[in-house]
């Protein structure tokens, strides 16, 4: 039992130090390990299995909406990166360069892709000539490199895994519909499969992607009241097409510029899961992406029949499509409870000699530690129902946290008072649309603009900062 205590003591409580709590979980739950390259991490099997589940579900949603996967090279020649002015300005400060091949200096240096718009554009210019070549609905699953100064596992790393969708359309209307469609796919994914409530919105001018006409994002609120951008979808207009000379012959035989989009989600989502659902006993995983959905812990496993019954139960759950693990190691039952709580396994099944005698088992749900005795008959159905219940339970908890930490304010003083008295959270306040006011709000409160929600409401007539006529409702907050 001394062992069990140590595991829990080993993580700092989130109330004491949220940042330390986060890194403790990332390490203790065996999601990552640091490497000798700053900001680059090993995603360990348990962490990678979460990513694989995210990937599988998202990829299905992309294909369902007509997208095909492709794979671009990882190097971008300097001259190609420089073709779109805003884009290169945005990314140049954090680009890693390759200057040598072996001992030979390259004639033109190559950047390691920070994102792949320029590569897609070069490719489009080669393959798009006629309206019959449009649209192209592409996605790729790759890693990208951004030379960040401060790094944190999953949230900000120099190399990270992601998907980047890139599409090209004959008309602006089509491209705008695509941008919004993928924002909705992202929001649905987060809410349904990760149990993370999100706000869908549009970024302000100063906060949009380098080279985009408009950027949409989904914003989530973490347990500590800080915002996290969970996914973005950009509309590019025909700016990239013009910079890269992509043109097509229309039905009317005219040369036209096509319109583009891109959209991305990253391993950041794993950080979002940790900070939305985790608690002082460790991770709490949404069932849809949990590598292990149910763990069977045999109690008094040396007693006759216990392990046999446990295996039988495991096989029946497996056959029903549940990701299940039987831990028949020699560790104590108490140690195992702490271990799988740390790893956020949604449902624990305890099975001992007396349970078997009574044709029952104990199930404990991770997020609320509720204990119930259930029959071994139709156990798979019972567990499936429990997983749905867990998903709803953690979603409601996250939603409640967000509602409790969302403050409606009409003056700067109100914002500061709310943040001081109630702690970090989303601030809902009106804005005149002036960049100066946007900067000033951040300077005076620490809360930056997160997004202008698609569902606009008029909570006041005037800008929270200057008192002039308000144009938009904005969600403000401190962010990861
Ligand atoms: Zn203003």
């Amino acid at each position: 039992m001394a062992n069990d205590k140590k595991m829990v003591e080993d993580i700092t409580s989130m109330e004491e130090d949220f940042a330390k709590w986060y890194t403790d979980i990332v390490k203790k739950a065996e999601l990552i390990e640091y490497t000798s390259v700053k900001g680059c991490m090993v995603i360990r099997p348990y962490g990678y299995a979460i990513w694989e589940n995210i990937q599988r579900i998202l990829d299905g949603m992309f294909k369902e909406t007509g997208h095909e996967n492709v794979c671009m090279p990882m190097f971008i020649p300097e001259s190609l990166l420089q073709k779109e002015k805003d884009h290169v300005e945005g990314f140049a400060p954090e680009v890693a360069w390759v200057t040598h091949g072996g001992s030979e200096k390259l004639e033109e240096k190559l950047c390691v892709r920070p994102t792949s718009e320029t590569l897609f554009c070069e490719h489009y210019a080669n393959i798009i000539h006629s309206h019959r070549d449009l649209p192209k609905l592409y996605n790729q699953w790759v890693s990208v490199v951004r030379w960040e100064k401060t790094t944190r596992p999953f949230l900000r790393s120099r190399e990270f895994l992601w998907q980047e969708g890139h599409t090209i359309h004959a008309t602006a209307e089509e491209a705008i519909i695509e941008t919004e469609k993928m924002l909705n796919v992202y929001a649905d994914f987060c809410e349904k499969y990760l149990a993370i409530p999100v706000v869908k919105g549009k970024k302000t001018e100063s906060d949009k992607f380098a080279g985009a006409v408009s950027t949409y994002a989904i914003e989530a609120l973490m347990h500590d009241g800080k915002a996290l951008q969970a996914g973005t979808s950009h509309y590019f207009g025909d700016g990239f097409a013009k910079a890269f000379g992509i043109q097509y012959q229309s039905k009317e035989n005219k040369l036209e510029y096509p319109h583009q989009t891109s959209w991305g989600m990253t391993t950041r989502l794993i950080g979002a899961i940790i900070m939305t659902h985790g608690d002082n006993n460790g991770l709490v995983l949404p069932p849809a992406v949990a590598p292990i959905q149910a763990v069977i812990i045999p109690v008094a496993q040396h007693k006759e029949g216990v392990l046999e019954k446990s295996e039988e139960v495991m096989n029946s759950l497996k056959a029903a499509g549940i990701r299940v693990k039987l831990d028949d190691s020699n560790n104590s039952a108490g140690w195992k409870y702490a271990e799988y709580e740390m790893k956020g396994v949604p449902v624990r099944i305890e099975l001992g000699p007396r349970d078997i005698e009574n044709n029952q088992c104990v199930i404990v749900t991770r997020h609320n530690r509720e204990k119930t005795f259930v029959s071994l008959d139709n156990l798979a159905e019972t567990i499936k129902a429990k997983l749905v219940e867990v998903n709803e339970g953690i979603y409601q908890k996250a939603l409640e946290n967000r509602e409790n930490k969302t403050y409606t304010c009409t003056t700067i003083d109100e914002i500061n008072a709310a943040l001081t008295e109630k702690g970090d959270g989303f601030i809902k306040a009106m804005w005149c649309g002036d960049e100066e006011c946007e900067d000033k709000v951040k300077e005076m409160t620490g809360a930056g603009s997160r997004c202008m929600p698609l569902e606009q409401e008029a909570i006041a007539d005037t800008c929270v900062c200057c008192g002039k006529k308000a144009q938009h409702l904005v969600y403000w907050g401190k962010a990861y």
Side-chain angles (χ1 to χ4, degrees), residues 431-434 437 463-468:
W431 177 51
C432 63
D434 200 331
C437 285
C463 172
V464 69
C465 183
C466 67
K468 279 190 231 151

Side-chain angles (χ1 to χ4, degrees), residues 203-439:
K203 290 275 171 186
T204 61
E205 277 300 295
S206 65
D207 210 16
K208 65 186 195 186
F209 182 82
V213 170
S214 49
T215 287
Y216 295 83
I218 47 171
E219 294 279 335
L221 197 72
M222 303 296 97
H223 204 86
D224 63 345
K226 288 211 181 79
L228 184 137
Q229 179 179 294
T232 49
S233 185
H234 318 288
Y235 168 60
F236 289 128
D238 59 6
F240 275 94
K242 282 181 172 155
F244 284 82
I246 310 166
Q247 281 185 300
Y248 70 95
Q249 200 93 37
S250 71
K251 281 178 195 154
E252 293 75 33
N253 253 331
K254 282 202 303 203
L255 265 186
E256 305 274 6
Y257 290 106
H259 292 73
Q260 287 169 248
T261 81
S262 82
W263 27 276
M265 266 190 167
T266 79
T267 32
R268 254 197 147 197
L269 289 174
I270 298 175
I273 292 169
I274 300 170
M275 293 193 293
T276 302
H277 302 307
D279 62 23
N280 284 335
N281 295 307
L283 265 181
V284 174
L285 290 177
V289 298
I292 305 166
Q293 294 173 311
V295 61
I296 303 168
I297 315 261
V299 179
Q301 63 185 33
H302 57 281
K303 295 245 170 96
E304 206 193 318
V306 173
L307 278 182
E308 289 78 357
K309 192 69 188 175
S310 297
E311 268 167 38
E312 190 190 310
V313 167
M314 175 184 72
N315 289 332
S316 72
L317 296 184
K318 236 183 215 171
I322 296 165
R323 293 191 289 274
V324 59
K325 175 179 173 167
L326 163 62
D327 187 345
D328 57 2
S329 69
N330 287 327
N331 294 308
S332 72
W335 185 92
K336 292 175 190 174
Y337 296 164
E339 166 78 2
Y340 295 102
E341 284 193 353
M342 177 65 72
K343 290 200 157 162
V345 175
V347 174
R348 176 170 91 218
I349 302 167
E350 301 168 13
L351 193 62
R354 193 167 303 159
D355 298 315
I356 296 168
E357 229 169 80
N358 295 325
N359 191 42
Q360 66 175 30
C361 65
V362 176
I363 55 181
V364 183
T365 39
R366 168 65 183 86
H367 69 299
N368 55 10
R369 295 175 125 182
E370 242 172 55
K371 211 172 179 168
T372 30
F373 288 89
V374 301
S375 163
L376 289 177
D377 298 334
N378 300 319
L379 185 62
E381 292 315 307
T382 310
I383 299 293
K384 279 185 181 169
K386 271 287 166 202
L387 292 174
V388 172
E389 207 181 296
V390 168
N391 197 57
E392 278 164 11
I394 61 175
Y395 179 84
Q396 284 309 325
K397 211 167 155 185
L399 188 62
E400 214 170 280
N401 178 58
R402 190 183 79 184
E403 300 302 298
N404 288 338
K405 292 185 170 123
T406 300
Y407 324 122
T408 303
C409 300
T410 54
T411 63
I412 297 271
D413 286 346
E414 276 179 30
I415 297 179
N416 281 324
L419 293 176
T420 315
E421 284 159 27
K422 300 174 193 160
D424 288 338
F426 272 143
I427 304 285
K428 284 166 79 174
M430 302 306 288
W431 177 51
C432 63
D434 200 331
E435 209 172 306
E436 227 172 88
C437 285
E438 188 185 0
D439 292 345

Side-chain angles (χ1 to χ4, degrees), residues 39 148 150-158 160 268 479-480:
E148 304 275 1
T150 41
T151 59
R152 288 184 71 190
F154 296 119
L155 300 176
R156 204 165 284 280
S157 49
R158 284 186 174 167
F160 58 87
R268 254 197 147 197
Y480 280 99

Side-chain angles (χ1 to χ4, degrees), residues 116-134:
S116 305
E117 276 74 14
T118 54
L119 293 164
F120 276 89
C121 284
E122 182 183 49
H123 179 54
Y124 292 149
N126 288 331
I127 62 164
I128 290 166
H129 309 290
S130 146
H131 62 91
R132 280 181 297 269
D133 300 325
L134 293 168

